[in-house]
Amino acid sequence: MLRSTALLHSGFTRRWGPVSSSFRSMSNGSWGESIPDEYVEEKEEEVGEWKGCTKKFLMPISVNSRGSEILNNPLYSKNTAFKGGERDRLRFRGLLPPRRVNMQIQKERVLEEIRAEESMIRKHVILEDVHDRNETLYHRILVDHMEEMAPIIYTPTVGQACNEFAMRYRRPRGMYFCEEDRGHMAAMMYNWPQRDVQVIVVTDGSRILGLGDLGANGMGIPIGKLSLYCAAGGIAPHRVMPVVIDVGTDNEALLKDKFYLGVQKPRMKGAPYYHLVDEFLQAARHRWPNVLI
């Protein structure tokens, strides 16, 4: 398949410092007169489909898919913010409504919905729905409104979200490793689609925010932590991986819950537990030698 190169930065431009330093050094060298600031610092566009975005060079993301595969991939989808050139190049002209609605307008729509809710868990559900559909928009919201959004995606709301994880489960996110996977973890790591994982947050669900043993429902913690790391620390969302090592649970309610998604056995302890964790760590290091766990 031919590779298509997409500039997936609409509305989510991180400031890594001025790209104009080379121009400034030229202006102070043998070229004579200095270059005016407006020639050096390129401002965001104010009208048209590029409104609120920049046309200056940004490192493109190379993707091997086209059409609806991109639209249905939350890592790459920008929903209606895709510009005309992108819609042609990536082959989904006609698959979206014709009007280009940029990230700023999409963000305002989600914020209105969140702020209309009084329940923190409902706010969490709305935000995670965006996370599952459009990660560019999700992280734009977090970056711009971190103080307001942090209590929604992490403490104190994430505790209730973990308690209700099985009931609210919608789509896969992260990886799960359990006793049945012993001897296969090195191969399993290659099931993860991203090649450059730099940060893994892992839990065994045994002690979740003072709530005790929540087993596989503890996946909400790695997801929430990594959301904060991406938004506040500038880690690219495709370079993180949330993980649950499911060694069972001693929570009687979960052992009897027909909707629970984890291993319904008493929690593994002693040498078997440590051997399982050791295999996971070695498998992760084998695929990504420099990963931070």
Side-chain angles (χ1 to χ4, degrees):
M1 180 183 292
L2 293 176
R3 304 186 80 197
S4 58
T5 302
L7 294 177
L8 302 175
H9 63 273
S10 171
F12 191 56
T13 306
R14 290 197 63 86
R15 308 300 186 193
W16 296 109
V19 296
S20 54
S21 57
S22 58
F23 290 109
R24 292 199 184 280
S25 62
M26 290 177 184
S27 69
N28 294 327
S30 59
W31 284 27
E33 55 185 79
S34 62
I35 299 175
D37 284 346
E38 60 266 28
Y39 290 7
V40 177
E41 298 293 346
E42 187 173 4
K43 297 181 180 179
E44 293 181 346
E45 300 295 314
E46 298 180 355
V47 295
E49 65 175 8
W50 283 86
K51 183 178 179 180
C53 303
T54 177
K55 291 184 177 179
K56 67 183 180 183
F57 176 80
L58 293 173
M59 183 69 70
I61 297 175
S62 181
V63 294
N64 291 324
S65 31
R66 296 258 175 84
S68 60
E69 291 183 18
I70 292 177
L71 294 180
N72 293 324
N73 186 329
L75 272 174
Y76 301 133
S77 178
K78 297 185 295 186
N79 205 330
T80 51
F82 282 109
K83 300 169 183 63
E86 291 176 312
R87 296 182 186 211
D88 286 333
R89 185 168 68 251
L90 299 173
R91 297 180 184 174
F92 43 74
R93 182 176 289 274
L95 300 182
L96 289 169
R99 185 182 172 213
R100 279 68 149 168
V101 179
N102 64 24
M103 283 294 159
Q104 180 62 30
I105 302 300
Q106 291 188 49
K107 184 184 77 170
E108 291 173 7
R109 183 178 64 205
V110 173
L111 288 175
E112 284 191 15
E113 185 179 3
I114 290 174
R115 289 166 180 169
E117 288 286 347
E118 294 185 4
S119 165
M120 289 294 282
I121 193 63
R122 279 293 305 151
K123 293 174 185 282
H124 178 91
V125 169
I126 292 168
L127 203 50
E128 283 307 303
D129 180 59
V130 175
H131 198 184
D132 288 342
R133 293 184 287 107
N134 185 339
E135 293 205 20
T136 304
L137 175 59
Y138 175 79
H139 288 98
R140 178 77 275 164
I141 293 170
L142 297 190
V143 168
D144 290 349
H145 304 274
M146 176 59 76
E147 186 174 354
E148 179 182 359
M149 296 299 143
I152 298 175
I153 64 170
Y154 204 59
T155 54
T157 313
V158 73
Q160 184 177 352
C162 286
N163 269 323
E164 302 173 4
F165 184 82
M167 288 298 296
R168 298 186 184 278
Y169 185 81
R170 296 292 182 272
R171 66 176 295 274
R173 180 175 292 279
M175 288 195 75
Y176 297 82
F177 297 83
C178 66
E179 186 178 15
E180 291 184 359
D181 302 319
R182 288 300 317 275
H184 302 288
M185 292 186 189
M188 285 173 64
M189 287 294 172
Y190 289 88
N191 291 340
W192 188 253
Q194 307 306 325
R195 298 178 180 178
D196 184 23
V197 172
Q198 297 181 358
V199 180
I200 294 174
V201 173
V202 57
T203 182
D204 67 359
S206 59
R207 298 170 62 185
I208 301 298
L209 298 176
L211 298 173
D213 186 348
L214 295 185
N217 287 353
M219 176 58 91
I221 296 298
I223 292 173
K225 280 184 179 289
L226 288 171
S227 294
L228 293 177
Y229 295 169
C230 290
I235 304 169
H238 65 281
R239 294 194 173 114
V240 302
M241 185 172 81
V243 170
V244 163
I245 297 179
D246 189 350
V247 292
T249 178
D250 290 333
N251 186 322
E252 289 296 327
L254 295 179
L255 290 173
K256 298 174 182 178
D257 184 356
K258 66 178 180 180
F259 299 118
Y260 178 61
L261 299 173
V263 174
Q264 288 185 303
K265 294 180 180 180
R267 182 169 287 275
M268 181 189 299
K269 297 178 175 68
Y273 173 88
Y274 286 99
H275 293 328
L276 189 154
V277 172
D278 184 61
E279 183 184 353
F280 163 77
L281 292 172
Q282 292 192 53
R285 293 285 189 188
H286 174 74
R287 184 173 183 195
W288 303 292
N290 298 316
V291 68
L292 173 66
I293 302 175

